[in-house]
Amino acid sequence: MNFDRSVALIERARKTIPGGVNSPVRAFRSVGGTPIFIAKGEGPRLIDEDGNSYLDYIGSWGPLILGHRPACVIEALREVLEIGTSFGAPTEREVLLAEAVRDAFPSMEMVRLVNSGTEAAMSALRVARGFTGRDLAIKFEGCYHGHVDSLLVKAGSGLATLGLSDSAGVPAAFAATTISVPYNDLAAVEAAFHRHPGQIACIMLEVVAGNMGCVPPAPGFLAGLRELCTRNGTLLIFDEVMTGFRLAYGGAQELYGIKPDMTALGKIIGGGLPIAAYGGSTEVMMHVAPEGPIYQAGTLSGNPLAVSAGLAMLRYLKAHPEVYTKIEALSARLCANPPAGITVNRVGSMFTWFFTTEPVTDYASAKKSDAKRFGQFFHWMLERGVYLAPSQFEAAFMSAAHTEADIDYTAEQAHAFFVQ
Ligand code: KE4
């Protein structure tokens, strides 16, 4: 494959954009090589600036459950362009989208639309703190909730201790409001409650983790968190930015049957345009301005352009439940009979091939993977027209635009890597 234009473009891009990218993972730093610049997306495929074609298993990091440029979204965008793009004033469309979200996620009696998953998680955290009057939050190592200052923390020295900044520019005082514990470790959560009685506003988690690679909740983990939160007056916040509308139309909370106090949504809810949302019970959400004292705002929140794309996406998914059975079957087909030396974690259409022989149940076990060998695998696949996430610690996503032939080609190329 020829990557000349991407090579030239990244050199040029680095002069005006840090790393030449608008989000760090796109820079290929953990797999090496040159990030490819995309010219076009169509169905399950991406075409780069050198004309190379790839089967896309990132799907813009989750939003594109129907593949690139689905007709329902494109048609909705054409229609809304006739009336405008943003008004900074209420419109009927955003009421329709809020109602569609509430119908899909009954725990979200009230919904506030925002523009990114980061905003959704940040706002839900603020509401939990404002509603409970408490400052501390529990998160899990390896889970990512956007670049929210106080959630960019790594575990403190011992279990259940206050977090330490995981990014420059985050004051230690902010990080110290977050307790970071191992995913799937209920005992560590209980220890945190014992150590900080009456001080914990919320627990926030990815219900199925995708940001350390795909890691499902252990049996009983979610129910245990639910019980601990109820017992301690702490809000349970499900970050479903990745899993919402993907693992089921009602997200992971439908799949696992656990009702959170608040939910953050993103990605699919926008149909590929910038929309996200957070919400919860009426009792909690009536604390949000202008109804209550917790402030949150946004110039483009609920803009008709993005809302129209999101509405079209959700309406299509609701009317076509067969999308979920298709992407489940395609993902199962791709992950069946993994090569020796690989641990595959999959939940529905989210999956990760970990380069380790040990089970991956949390961040510590995920980090035992051979990231260098994953990098070699990534480039082997890229050269053969398969575009995987450029990091061992990301989930891959299937779309309904992929076909069995696409899957069989992908599997064939993947298996060939292990016998070369
Ligand atoms: P955004 O602010 O990027 O829209 O959403 C942040 C976020 C929140 N919660 C979860 C569970 C997420 O997965 C994300 C963002 N996901 C990453 C993928 N690992 C986005 C890719 C990127 O950062 O470029």
Side-chain angles (χ1 to χ4, degrees), residues 23 25-26 61 116-119 144-147 206 211 239 241-242 267 394:
S23 199
V25 71
R26 305 176 189 175
W61 300 96
S116 70
T118 296
E119 260 193 278
Y144 173 68
H145 305 290
H147 58 93
E206 296 181 55
N211 287 289
D239 179 345
V241 168
M242 197 180 269
K267 298 184 191 275
E394 293 286 355

Side-chain angles (χ1 to χ4, degrees), residues 195-264:
R195 194 180 185 121
H196 307 283
Q199 301 169 49
I200 297 173
C202 64
I203 294 179
M204 186 181 296
L205 77 155
E206 296 181 55
V207 190
V208 172
N211 287 289
M212 58 179 114
C214 180
V215 178
F221 180 59
L222 299 177
L225 293 179
R226 178 64 278 169
E227 197 280 325
L228 281 169
C229 284
T230 304
R231 192 189 327 154
N232 288 279
T234 293
L235 298 194
L236 180 59
I237 302 177
F238 278 2
D239 179 345
E240 293 225 42
V241 168
M242 197 180 269
T243 55
F245 298 106
R246 174 162 287 279
L247 298 186
Y249 188 65
Q253 55 196 268
E254 175 186 311
L255 187 67
Y256 291 101
I258 300 287
K259 182 181 179 183
D261 298 298
M262 296 186 77
T263 301

Side-chain angles (χ1 to χ4, degrees), residues 100 111-113 145 154 197 202 206 227 245 271 321 343 377 387 414:
V111 177
R112 174 57 67 82
L113 300 177
H145 305 290
K154 51 178 176 279
C202 64
E206 296 181 55
E227 197 280 325
F245 298 106
T343 292
F377 177 65
Y387 191 62

